[in-house]
Amino acid sequence: MKKMISAVLSALMLFCFTIPAFAANEDDFTVVDYGDGYYLKVSTVDTPSPFTIYEKSITRKADAYHGSTYIGTFYLNGTFQYDTVRAKAVADSWSASSSYGYSGDSWCTGASVKGKCTFNYAGGKTYTITMTCDKNGNISYTQ
């Protein structure tokens, strides 16, 4: 009986400590101003796997606006492998949502995952995001 209770408590603790790693902090974002009334509110969702070493999966969430009008959300996902000598991007994907329509693409190049999304609002605007991993697993971001 003690082993059963111990196993249940261990599983519960693992579940409770794992969930926060998958949530984005909505208050922690960067604003990218394009200078023409368009801007992005960009945040990061870090989704490390507790079962892998030297691999990270990261999702960037970018909410697009024109003035006070919400246009849509663009997500860029990347998986990186690193080993203290080198790093490489091994997987990429993108998704978006918008009532105005959209198109996009993502790709891996070296240690970077790049993505772009065009929202079909007022003639269209293309947003780009790049995530790069270094040999120690540190991720940097550019727009």
Side-chain angles (χ1 to χ4, degrees), residues 20 47 85 89 103:
T47 54
V85 176
S103 60

Side-chain angles (χ1 to χ4, degrees), residues 23-31 41-45 61 63:
N25 183 350
E26 292 299 321
D27 296 330
D28 188 20
F29 59 86
T30 302
V31 174
K41 288 173 65 175
V42 185
S43 58
T44 301
V45 181
K61 174 187 176 193
D63 293 320

Side-chain angles (χ1 to χ4, degrees), residues 4 32 41 57 66-67 91 130:
M4 181 185 215
V32 179
K41 288 173 65 175
S57 294
H66 183 259
T130 301

Side-chain angles (χ1 to χ4, degrees), residues 4 38 63 66-67 76-78 83 95 105 113 118 131-133:
M4 181 185 215
Y38 290 91
D63 293 320
H66 183 259
L76 179 63
N77 310 299
D83 62 6
S95 62
D105 194 14
V113 169
T118 302
M131 303 183 288
T132 303
C133 184

Side-chain angles (χ1 to χ4, degrees), residues 54-56 58 80-89 110-113 131-141:
Y54 299 118
E55 183 173 290
K56 283 188 179 180
I58 303 292
F80 303 91
Q81 292 178 345
Y82 56 95
D83 62 6
T84 72
V85 176
R86 68 183 65 86
K88 66 179 178 176
S112 296
V113 169
M131 303 183 288
T132 303
C133 184
D134 71 12
K135 65 182 183 176
N136 297 312
N138 301 308
I139 308 292
S140 59
Y141 309 100

Side-chain angles (χ1 to χ4, degrees), residues 29-117:
F29 59 86
T30 302
V31 174
V32 179
D33 189 349
Y34 285 84
D36 55 1
Y38 290 91
Y39 65 95
L40 290 175
K41 288 173 65 175
V42 185
S43 58
T44 301
V45 181
D46 189 359
T47 54
S49 172
F51 305 109
T52 60
I53 299 174
Y54 299 118
E55 183 173 290
K56 283 188 179 180
S57 294
I58 303 292
T59 300
R60 289 286 272 175
K61 174 187 176 193
D63 293 320
Y65 292 87
H66 183 259
S68 62
T69 303
Y70 168 74
I71 300 170
T73 301
F74 170 45
Y75 296 92
L76 179 63
N77 310 299
T79 300
F80 303 91
Q81 292 178 345
Y82 56 95
D83 62 6
T84 72
V85 176
R86 68 183 65 86
K88 66 179 178 176
V90 295
D92 64 273
S93 65
W94 73 278
S95 62
S97 62
S98 174
S99 59
Y100 298 102
Y102 55 87
S103 60
D105 194 14
S106 65
W107 60 95
C108 294
T109 177
S112 296
V113 169
K114 299 182 179 193
K116 65 180 179 179
C117 184

